[in-house]
Amino acid sequence: MLTSRRKFIGALSVGTASTFLPAVTLASLRGKGKKADTRTRIILDTDTATDDALALLMAVSSPKLSVEAITITVGNVGFEQQTKNALYTLEVAGKSGQIPVYQGSARPLTREVHGTATYVHGSDGMSDSFFPDPKQKPEKEHAVDAIIRLVNANPGELTLVAIGPLTNVALALLKEPAMAKKVKGLYFMGGFYKFYGNINPGATYNAWVDPEAARIVFQSGIPITTVGFDVSVKSSVFTDEDYAQVATLGTKYSDFFMKINRIRRTYCKEHQKMKGSNHPDAITVAAVIDPTLVTQSVSRFVDVETRGELTLGALTIDELGVWKKAPNATICVEADEARFKKLVFDTLKIS
């Protein structure tokens, strides 16, 4: 059984999967002369394109976060291009070679690759900016193995921030179910609360790409917080006035932001009835940086539709408790737009 499971997991992915001092003495030695590190330690799982790149830039630039690893999952554009986008964003942030990037699964758990969202992000995922190849290369270790290794080595200390489909996280749970109890929490960019979908009327992109993976994660017992498409539409839209303000900053970060959002900005205005571009991945990371940015949330039981003809990938929220199951997710309902935009502008002013 174990052998067949390993073969199953391997087929779904692109890679392979002394003397002791008393504890009090070790603790005192570690802490002596050092200031306590209060940063939130995260693994950022991403299908890096335009909005993911902003989220990544915010995460690695925040003094409140320690990004321990970046893992690449199936999603927005070609898998190798997503990897290059993440590595190049690290280069823009001045972090090249400082944070490891691991490639994960290039396809969903059981489905064929869905295609890409180049219509939103451009053919390179960065609004056809065609940046040069990054200097840093991805690690040889598979993302799933890296997630398991890091979580096992740091039980209760790592938060997973999933701003793409949940394939890598689900594969890690299939390979090591006990990992669920060792994860501090998981933030997922996906779903919505009493709103509408962006890929079909009931579903949003990240859950729709791999609904089986999303269902495994939501049933795992990991403490989950969702930041949905609705929150991004209400509280993360950068208008023409915001873009004009970004353009005046004159920094490396602001120039990067303007370049990578050219196609996304037009798409959101013309096809999604917005006054500018929304940034769901960035507001998810913002909620990790500053949890008080979430001004309203609800705890509900959530399951994922995997067979619906019209609602594949929908995060089904049991609002009235008809399933009589304990809540398994905290759903962000409202967020502070002004504070989100301040976080973005504070990031874009850095360099």
Side-chain angles (χ1 to χ4, degrees), residues 46-200:
T46 170
D47 55 340
T48 314
T50 55
D51 187 40
D52 306 73
L54 173 60
L56 196 161
L57 198 66
M58 292 173 67
V60 301
S61 301
S62 173
K64 295 185 177 181
L65 299 185
S66 172
V67 182
E68 312 278 311
I70 295 165
T71 53
I72 308 300
T73 189
V74 60
N76 284 318
V77 293
F79 193 73
E80 294 300 327
Q81 185 63 55
Q82 292 178 162
T83 305
K84 289 180 180 180
N85 292 344
L87 291 166
Y88 186 80
T89 302
L90 284 179
E91 202 165 293
V92 171
K95 303 286 185 180
S96 183
Q98 299 178 36
I99 300 171
V101 175
Y102 302 90
Q103 291 183 300
S105 181
R107 54 158 293 176
L109 287 183
T110 62
R111 298 173 184 270
E112 296 299 320
V113 176
H114 60 287
T116 59
T118 54
Y119 52 90
V120 181
H121 305 288
S123 60
D124 66 346
M126 303 290 250
S127 288
D128 293 341
S129 296
F130 302 111
F131 295 118
D133 288 344
K135 297 180 179 66
Q136 182 180 340
K137 303 301 180 186
E139 304 298 312
K140 292 182 180 179
E141 185 180 17
H142 193 279
V144 170
D145 295 324
I147 290 170
I148 293 170
R149 172 176 56 80
L150 289 167
V151 170
N152 282 341
N154 302 277
E157 296 182 17
L158 293 179
T159 297
L160 305 180
V161 182
I163 54 176
L166 287 165
T167 310
N168 285 339
V169 181
L171 282 167
L173 289 165
L174 285 172
K175 191 171 185 180
E176 184 133 343
M179 188 191 83
K181 295 182 179 179
K182 300 176 184 178
V183 175
K184 183 177 181 180
L186 182 145
Y187 279 75
F188 175 53
M189 190 283 112
F192 53 82
Y193 184 72
K194 298 181 180 180
F195 203 64
Y196 51 83
N198 63 358
I199 199 71
N200 64 49

Side-chain angles (χ1 to χ4, degrees), residues 146-337:
I147 290 170
I148 293 170
R149 172 176 56 80
L150 289 167
V151 170
N152 282 341
N154 302 277
E157 296 182 17
L158 293 179
T159 297
L160 305 180
V161 182
I163 54 176
L166 287 165
T167 310
N168 285 339
V169 181
L171 282 167
L173 289 165
L174 285 172
K175 191 171 185 180
E176 184 133 343
M179 188 191 83
K181 295 182 179 179
K182 300 176 184 178
V183 175
K184 183 177 181 180
L186 182 145
Y187 279 75
F188 175 53
M189 190 283 112
F192 53 82
Y193 184 72
K194 298 181 180 180
F195 203 64
Y196 51 83
N198 63 358
I199 199 71
N200 64 49
T204 57
Y205 183 81
N206 286 342
W208 172 82
V209 167
D210 197 344
E212 285 79 16
R215 194 170 204 205
I216 287 169
V217 174
F218 273 86
Q219 293 181 350
S220 70
I222 293 176
I224 296 173
T225 299
T226 68
V227 182
F229 178 65
D230 53 336
V231 175
S232 76
V233 171
K234 296 172 186 175
S235 302
S236 78
V237 174
F238 265 59
T239 64
D240 290 343
E241 291 76 16
D242 294 318
Y243 273 94
Q245 188 176 344
V246 171
T248 66
L249 296 178
T251 68
K252 181 171 63 174
Y253 284 12
S254 64
D255 179 62
F256 181 65
F257 176 89
M258 295 294 288
K259 285 180 179 177
I260 65 176
N261 281 294
R262 290 191 305 260
I263 291 176
R264 180 185 186 87
R265 182 181 177 186
T266 299
Y267 177 84
C268 290
K269 291 171 75 173
E270 292 183 356
H271 298 281
Q272 294 191 325
K273 304 175 184 178
M274 299 181 202
K275 294 181 179 180
S277 59
N278 69 322
H279 299 274
D281 297 332
I283 200 168
T284 301
V285 166
V288 183
I289 294 171
D290 178 13
T292 65
L293 180 138
V294 176
T295 56
Q296 183 183 354
S297 62
V298 295
S299 294
R300 298 286 187 269
F301 179 80
V302 177
D303 208 337
V304 183
E305 178 58 68
T306 59
R307 292 185 291 177
E309 180 182 354
L310 303 176
T311 58
L312 181 68
L315 299 191
T316 304
I317 301 169
D318 187 5
E319 183 69 16
L320 300 179
V322 295
W323 285 332
K324 297 182 174 20
K325 294 184 178 181
N328 61 351
T330 299
I331 302 164
C332 175
V333 177
E334 300 285 349
D336 190 319
E337 178 181 5

